[in-house]
Amino acid sequence: MAALAGEWLERLTRVCGEVASGRAGVDDVEACARAAPVDELRAGASVMGAFNVLLDLTGQVWDESSPDAGLAVLAIGGNVALMAQQVTGEATPVRVYARRLAGHGMHVAATNVLRAAVDVGGPALQGSPPLRAQLLNLLGDMLRDLGDLRGAEEALTQGLADVASDVAEQGGGEDTARDRDVERLRSALLNNLALVLQSRGELSRAADLLREVVEIDQRLGVPPAELAISIDNLGGVHREIADTHGSLWISDDLVDEAVSAELRVAESYFEQAQELFDAALPDAADDYAISLLHSADIAMLRRDAGLLDLVSSAAERVDSEHRLSRATSWAVRSMRGRALADSGRHGDAIDLLRPWFDETQGTAAAHEVPERALTVLLESASAVRDGDLVERVAHEIVEVDDAMLERTLRGSSSRSARHQLRDVHRRAEQVLGACLPAGDEGELPQWLYDLLLSRKGVLHERAGSAWLRHLAGSGDLVEQVRMLRGELATLDLDGADVRTVREARRRRVEAAERLDGAERALQGSLPDGAARRVVLGDVQSVLDDGTLLVDIVQERPPRPARAGYVAVLVRSSGAARFVRLGSVREVDARLGRAAAAHATRATQGPRPDRRLTPAAPAEEAPPSFSDLAAGLLPLGDHLGGVATVVLAPHGRWARLPIALLPGVRGEPLIDSVEVSVVPSARWLVTRHPAPGGGGAGPAVVIGDADFDLGLSDVPEVRPELRVSPLPWTHTEAVDVAALLQVEPLLRAAASRGALVKAARPTVLHVATHGTFIDAVASEQERREPRSAIIEMVGGVVVTREPGEHEGLGWSVSGESRDDGPSGRHGRRVQWLREVGPSEPSTRSALLLAGFNGWLAGAETPAHVGTGVVTAAELALLDLEGTGLVVLSACETGVSAVDDVDGTVLGLRTAALAAGAGCCVASLWTVDDRVTAELMTTMYAAQADGLTWPAALRAAQLAVRRHHPDPFYWAAWVAEGA
């Protein structure tokens, strides 16, 4: 390095040392930056040497004193790299600096430098490949790693356009060295673009691009290892296509042939790649081992223990014979350990993995060990009953995953966080299964419950407007996220008004990517973006002496035991206790039958008080809820001194009519205690408290919606679906409004617009239809490959994938061309019946004025719209200070389940996410006349000084005296409060 540059770096080092000790600040760093000897530094060797020093100094001042000073040092390196590019016209300095930034975990800074390099450019180059396309290729690759798929696609597409322009200007086809370099760059851009499409789930397009990459690489005669990487990537895409077809195993003995066929295609590509990697050893050792792990993964999926043992042994030989990277070597040993454990050789698995664990436990290197290694070691230690090793490994898993949770919540959007944290939650269940004491019940170690409190409900508490409102200093970003969440919810529901499903989904994907970018920016702007740490003591501090919290969680014991449910019982003091409830499969089956015991009543013909024809002969009575729920949640021995039971459900437990569970003497729980539900135990601690004085505005009461509003505008359409009026909701709304001293919004005024505009009412009461959109096609059609089209070619029936512009349309021919009311009606009905929303939170919905008109194809005004408000939209309302939300409708308590942590994603949790203190909702189709009676009784009871859950209980008991059948009163649950 030149002497002048060396002296300057020494001076900068001294300044950074003074910053770290508090004797200097960011201004001193910037002053030193202005004195940088640019002419010396931009020489090739000086630039590369300076980068190393600058990155070390950045870490020093960032960690010890001043992040702002660290950013100033980073900026010096970026400026030096950009100036070197401008003068020399070489991309190397920028690319090296960006890669080194990324290697230090500073991916955002790396992409900023690359964006600036793309914009700044450099002198025109006489040779090829074009400089800008090289930078765009690296930028796209890094943006993909960050999860910015839209930005990555834009960068890579622009890079391909630059390559095409270069070919057009320079000419081509002569097979010169320049032509081959341009084609190799084009191949790299196509490969990275295929990986972006793969991440977005557009697997057919990704496979097409990778096949083109393989063709280019074969034509250019690239080294075998490079060709093998492209082929291996193609196998990975087909492995994911197999996933889109569903589960491989239909039962314990039968497999889905469509899934199996795709896996065979993937296996063939992996085998081709492995032959090429083998020929390129030792240089291709890492890639060879990784490809073998891909084959081992398919062997695991096929439950082929012999093949898994064979392939994992081959990967282990590569590891022993060649110098693999540490990460790849750990991955190989993890898979080999899995094979040993699956064959019952737990001792051998421990012998293989324990030395590495002993070496890395408690060090930074432990965070680089594949999670599979830790879970295999945990399982094997449990199998051989090595309690000390079990606990050591469990604590290491918790520590590593805590760090992952922190990083993910700081730098990810809601969608990417959900994807990344799925495995974190699964490992928490494995830790619980391995470390929970033996027996049906007992005392729960506090560290285990603290682990559960740091996981379950973390994502849910960020889902609504309440969390957004409490983010100080991020006003513009908060509003942008709120707006994009609303846009996404709308697109997810009314995609029927686009001509094809493919186009509807494309628009939704683009909106989701815009939201992802905004959420990442919002998280990055927060001084503390991670979730609040909640422990047992925090939960106990908000429980009074008479309250019992029942937190339902899952455990995953070591194989071959099945996953099971566990009830964690928490009182205001003392240790938490646990009760094992049985296997998830068996309990879910019982929960399903129990939920249906009353829900099916609504479909068995007219109710007795409305029959217009003689009743049919009585059939054999179906099992009662009490019969089905016997022993489901045995609380009787734990109710001493309990006045209130609060349930934090998991999955199907959210549909349980808790009021009917047996109490101390077998009587319904509601007879002796007050009952309510919360989204999660941590919600009791992390919920944002309502400001004093309640809501800012008067109550809002909506009811007796005119569902047929707009129907008369389309007389030529005979509606295929049509919801019926609810006459008793008029009485309910009028009576409730009178009690709350407001005017109700009835008929045409009971609209979507009226509900969406509700802001901070003291009470929000909605009496209308509720529904759960359970269309099953959404998961099938939102991913590639699309449904095949059958056609005749030369007298032979063949199938092919739809073309780029065909999509999965609204009719057999691929597209509905009728833009009149009849065509819109057909598309809208098909959307709700067969396609449905992609997001679980848009499946639970309230139906309001104009729904029948919209469904029939009418062009409704903006405030009427679809006549639907989904849970995703309800969560965005401003309900801060709203004491109660009543969703007096059918099935408003029915929700989709978050497959990450088992929390529910529906209307009642959405109301709490919007800031409401309590939400009352129903679990099945209820009787609107009896509901009107129950609601007015509840409000009267609350006026006498009861809490909302206590007032609901009083109303249920009052209704039960006139209508003892639980069908009429047990559907109602109070969530929150």
Side-chain angles (χ1 to χ4, degrees):
M1 182 179 295
L4 184 58
E7 293 172 3
W8 174 79
L9 284 172
E10 290 176 3
R11 185 163 66 255
L12 179 62
T13 302
R14 288 195 300 272
V15 171
C16 288
E18 293 171 355
V19 170
S21 63
R23 299 194 306 275
V26 65
D27 292 341
D28 300 288
V29 175
E30 291 176 346
C32 191
R34 288 192 290 272
V38 176
D39 290 339
E40 295 287 342
L41 283 172
R42 68 186 173 209
S46 297
V47 168
M48 304 311 171
F51 288 165
N52 293 330
V53 177
L54 291 170
L55 290 173
D56 288 342
L57 293 177
T58 297
Q60 177 186 348
V61 297
W62 198 305
D63 293 341
E64 297 181 17
S65 177
S66 171
D68 289 338
L71 290 172
V73 178
L74 283 183
I76 295 171
N79 290 333
V80 169
L82 292 172
M83 285 186 288
Q85 174 183 303
Q86 284 181 289
V87 172
T88 65
E90 291 290 336
T92 302
V94 170
R95 289 161 60 190
V96 168
Y97 190 54
R99 285 197 174 103
R100 290 187 185 175
L101 287 171
H104 283 72
M106 292 177 278
H107 293 86
V108 174
T111 58
N112 288 339
V113 169
L114 287 169
R115 289 184 195 277
V118 169
D119 293 337
V120 168
L125 299 179
Q126 298 301 314
S128 289
L131 165 66
R132 211 169 81 109
Q134 298 176 50
L135 296 171
L136 286 166
N137 185 45
L138 182 57
L139 175 60
D141 195 32
M142 288 188 175
L143 289 173
R144 178 177 62 85
D145 287 340
L146 280 173
D148 183 0
L149 302 181
R150 182 179 179 83
E153 183 176 10
E154 290 175 351
L156 295 167
T157 302
Q158 185 58 57
L160 287 166
D162 284 3
V163 168
S165 297
D166 181 79
V167 171
E169 292 174 5
Q170 303 290 336
E174 300 175 4
D175 197 28
T176 63
R178 180 185 67 81
D179 293 335
R180 287 192 292 274
D181 287 343
V182 171
E183 274 291 272
R184 292 188 70 167
L185 176 57
R186 179 168 169 268
S187 174
L189 286 160
L190 288 171
N191 182 78
N192 285 332
L193 181 56
L195 296 179
V196 170
L197 295 175
Q198 181 181 4
S199 299
R200 285 174 52 165
E202 297 185 41
L203 301 178
S204 285
R205 287 183 62 198
D208 288 342
L209 292 185
L210 285 171
R211 278 190 283 269
E212 185 175 356
V213 169
V214 170
E215 290 173 1
I216 294 172
D217 289 351
Q218 288 175 329
R219 186 171 66 250
L220 294 176
V222 300
E226 290 186 30
L227 176 60
I229 290 173
S230 301
I231 295 173
D232 196 66
N233 287 342
L234 186 54
V237 170
H238 281 276
R239 167 67 178 83
E240 286 198 33
I241 290 175
D243 285 341
T244 66
H245 289 308
S247 174
L248 172 63
W249 292 92
I250 299 172
S251 67
D252 290 340
D253 302 315
L254 299 175
V255 298
D256 185 317
E257 181 53 34
V259 179
S260 185
E262 283 294 345
L263 290 177
R264 286 196 294 272
V265 173
E267 286 174 308
S268 69
Y269 283 123
F270 292 147
E271 289 167 2
Q272 292 177 49
Q274 288 156 24
E275 289 181 9
L276 293 169
F277 285 136
D278 190 19
L281 290 175
D283 294 339
D286 267 69
D287 293 319
Y288 185 21
I290 291 170
S291 186
L292 287 168
L293 296 182
H294 293 161
S295 295
D297 179 62
I298 293 180
M300 283 179 57
L301 190 62
R302 291 192 182 279
R303 303 176 188 172
D304 188 335
L307 180 59
L308 175 60
D309 182 71
L310 180 67
V311 178
S312 63
S313 295
E316 189 177 33
R317 283 195 299 275
V318 175
D319 186 24
S320 63
E321 295 171 1
H322 304 281
R323 187 176 181 82
L324 301 183
S325 69
R326 184 166 64 175
T328 304
S329 184
W330 280 347
V332 168
R333 295 195 180 200
S334 301
M335 181 62 80
R336 183 59 186 155
R338 177 77 274 160
L340 294 170
D342 283 357
S343 62
R345 298 164 59 187
H346 294 289
D348 291 340
I350 292 173
D351 291 343
L352 175 68
L353 298 174
R354 184 167 186 163
W356 284 40
F357 175 72
D358 290 339
E359 176 187 340
T360 61
Q361 184 188 7
T363 70
H367 293 257
E368 301 174 22
V369 176
E371 293 80 5
R372 176 181 280 142
L374 294 173
T375 54
V376 168
L377 190 55
L378 180 72
E379 178 183 321
S380 295
S382 297
V384 301
R385 299 181 180 178
D386 186 338
D388 176 67
L389 182 58
V390 166
E391 187 149 335
R392 286 174 57 207
V393 177
H395 281 286
E396 192 68 39
I397 290 173
V398 172
E399 182 178 336
V400 170
D401 280 350
D402 277 346
M404 180 182 292
L405 185 72
E406 176 93 5
R407 289 194 306 272
T408 299
L409 293 177
R410 284 181 181 275
S412 301
S413 65
S414 299
R415 182 174 60 165
S416 60
R418 175 162 281 103
H419 174 73
Q420 294 176 63
L421 295 183
R422 183 172 285 105
D423 288 339
V424 171
H425 283 274
R426 185 180 181 88
R427 285 190 290 274
E429 293 171 354
Q430 291 172 314
V431 168
L432 182 64
C435 298
L436 197 65
D440 292 336
E441 59 180 286
E443 188 173 301
L444 181 69
Q446 181 173 331
W447 73 271
L448 271 180
Y449 193 50
D450 291 347
L451 163 67
L452 300 173
L453 289 171
S454 70
R455 306 286 192 267
K456 183 182 174 185
V458 169
L459 295 175
H460 172 268
E461 63 196 34
R462 297 165 174 246
S465 61
W467 178 69
L468 292 173
R469 280 194 301 275
H470 286 77
L471 299 180
S474 303
D476 290 343
L477 282 172
V478 165
E479 190 53 41
Q480 185 181 7
V481 169
R482 190 198 319 275
M483 179 191 69
L484 288 170
R485 284 182 177 181
E487 178 188 350
L488 187 62
T490 301
L491 286 171
D492 205 22
L493 185 70
D494 60 5
D497 289 342
V498 181
R499 294 180 69 86
T500 65
V501 176
R502 171 172 289 190
E503 174 65 12
R505 291 306 193 208
R506 184 188 64 78
R507 292 186 182 187
R508 190 194 169 282
V509 165
E510 291 175 351
E513 289 174 357
R514 290 194 296 272
L515 174 60
D516 283 358
E519 286 184 337
R520 283 196 304 273
L522 177 60
Q523 293 283 12
S525 73
L526 303 180
D528 183 12
R532 175 179 172 181
R533 181 76 179 177
V534 176
V535 298
L536 173 62
D538 298 326
V539 174
Q540 291 179 319
S541 69
V542 299
L543 301 178
D544 60 37
D545 292 340
T547 298
L548 172 66
L549 169 67
V550 182
D551 193 358
I552 308 293
V553 298
Q554 267 193 202
E555 64 165 333
R556 294 182 184 271
R559 302 177 187 182
R562 295 182 183 274
Y565 282 120
V566 176
V568 180
L569 309 180
V570 181
R571 300 289 297 269
S572 60
S573 61
R577 298 191 63 79
F578 73 89
V579 179
R580 283 190 165 94
L581 303 176
S583 77
V584 169
R585 176 182 293 182
E586 294 169 356
V587 172
D588 275 354
R590 292 188 64 193
L591 287 167
R593 292 194 299 271
H598 294 296
T600 54
R601 289 279 301 280
T603 62
Q604 292 178 355
R607 297 170 191 156
D609 57 310
R610 295 190 184 174
R611 273 210 178 94
L612 302 178
T613 57
E619 299 179 1
E620 182 179 350
S624 68
F625 173 85
S626 299
D627 295 334
L628 293 166
L632 195 60
L633 185 57
L635 295 178
D637 294 340
H638 304 278
L639 295 176
V642 171
T644 302
V645 172
V646 179
L647 177 70
H650 184 292
R652 292 195 177 189
W653 288 89
R655 295 195 63 182
L656 188 70
I658 186 174
L660 292 179
L661 287 173
V664 176
R665 291 172 296 278
E667 80 288 357
L669 202 57
I670 194 174
D671 284 357
S672 55
V673 300
E674 177 187 319
V675 295
S676 62
V677 181
V678 292
S680 65
R682 65 178 285 116
W683 178 88
L684 293 164
V685 178
T686 61
R687 59 180 172 162
H688 299 291
V700 172
V701 179
I702 298 173
D704 191 20
D706 181 4
F707 302 115
D708 288 345
L709 187 67
L711 194 59
S712 60
D713 297 336
V714 285
E716 70 275 22
V717 176
R718 292 187 60 186
E720 190 174 340
L721 288 176
R722 182 177 179 179
V723 300
S724 59
L726 296 170
W728 282 96
T729 61
H730 179 92
T731 302
E732 177 185 339
V734 169
D735 290 349
V736 168
L739 289 170
L740 298 174
Q741 300 181 356
V742 295
E743 288 294 322
L745 300 173
L746 305 173
R747 305 296 295 156
S751 66
R752 166 186 161 81
L755 178 53
V756 170
K757 287 194 300 183
R760 303 192 179 191
T762 53
V763 171
L764 174 61
H765 187 109
V766 185
T768 187
H769 274 300
T771 190
F772 183 77
I773 305 169
D774 198 20
V776 296
S778 58
E779 286 299 317
Q780 297 173 5
E781 56 73 37
R782 75 183 178 91
R783 289 175 177 263
E784 299 286 356
R786 309 297 186 188
S787 297
I789 296 173
I790 301 175
E791 62 181 1
M792 297 290 291
V793 177
V796 178
V797 177
V798 299
T799 62
R800 63 178 174 85
E801 291 296 320
E804 177 65 24
H805 303 292
E806 289 176 289
L808 176 64
W810 298 110
S811 65
V812 176
S813 62
E815 184 175 320
S816 173
R817 301 184 181 280
D818 182 358
D819 289 328
S822 179
R824 289 196 296 269
H825 172 58
R827 290 194 296 270
R828 290 169 180 176
V829 169
Q830 189 176 0
W831 181 271
L832 295 181
R833 277 184 170 174
E834 300 177 17
V835 182
S838 292
E839 289 297 318
S841 57
T842 48
R843 294 190 170 212
S844 298
L846 296 168
L847 307 183
L848 295 157
F851 173 73
N852 285 342
W854 171 80
L855 196 60
E859 294 183 348
T860 54
H863 73 282
V864 173
T866 60
V868 179
V869 173
T870 67
E873 295 176 298
L874 186 66
L876 296 176
L877 268 59
D878 184 354
L879 300 183
E880 184 168 334
T882 299
L884 176 70
V885 172
V886 176
L887 304 176
S888 182
C890 300
E891 299 183 337
T892 50
V894 179
S895 309
V897 177
D898 189 335
D899 63 354
V900 174
D901 64 0
T903 53
V904 295
L905 305 168
L907 290 163
R908 68 194 207 204
T909 52
L912 302 188
C918 181
C919 180
V920 170
S922 67
L923 295 174
W924 56 74
T925 301
V926 292
D927 183 290
D928 57 311
R929 178 177 63 82
V930 178
T931 294
E933 175 188 344
L934 183 142
M935 290 299 164
T936 53
T937 306
M938 181 185 72
Y939 280 104
Q942 194 274 340
D944 289 338
L946 296 181
T947 64
W948 287 116
L952 174 63
R953 173 176 179 258
Q956 288 174 302
L957 293 174
V959 167
R960 189 175 68 170
R961 286 193 288 271
H962 305 293
H963 304 280
D965 189 331
F967 168 80
Y968 292 98
W969 54 269
W972 297 96
V973 292
E975 182 139 357

